[in-house]
Amino acid sequence: MADRADAVFAALADPTRRHLVELLAAEPGATATGLAARLPITRQAVAKHLVTLDHAGLVSSRRSGRELHFELQPRPLADAAVWIAAVGGEWDGRLGRLRQLLDA
């Protein structure tokens, strides 16, 4: 699971890709051309960002004629959230034990 989380975090490290995720959450089935119209970057730049998101499993695409339509895939986000919760839980336990030692 850590490898998948690494890919998700790497993909989401870029603010443009995070914005694309937000746009796709609001508008499933958007095209690269449609997404580029909402951003200050070219369609080609959007397409490159979408490839990165696809490699992380965060988007999928389907062809309709000459265009690709992209959809957000939430499962990798959920896997990353599980990883964050597990790490947070470990720290909660460690901090709780430290608190007990300090109180003793």
Side-chain angles (χ1 to χ4, degrees), residues 11-100:
L12 295 177
D14 183 273
T16 299
R17 288 192 286 269
R18 288 194 305 271
H19 194 129
L20 286 169
V21 167
E22 291 171 356
L23 291 173
L24 287 170
E27 185 183 335
T31 64
T33 302
L35 293 166
R38 296 180 173 174
L39 297 169
I41 60 175
T42 66
R43 183 207 170 282
Q44 290 79 11
V46 168
K48 287 181 181 182
H49 284 297
L50 289 168
V51 167
T52 301
L53 292 170
D54 180 52
H55 287 307
L58 291 166
V59 299
S60 64
S61 62
R62 63 177 166 72
R63 183 167 292 283
S64 178
R66 292 175 45 173
E67 293 191 313
L68 285 176
H69 295 266
F70 294 88
E71 301 224 4
L72 181 63
Q73 297 300 312
R75 178 62 190 222
L77 290 172
D79 291 343
V82 166
W83 181 87
I84 289 170
V87 170
E90 288 177 25
W91 274 103
D92 288 344
R94 290 176 185 169
L95 292 173
R97 289 189 297 279
L98 179 60
R99 169 64 62 201
Q100 289 174 346

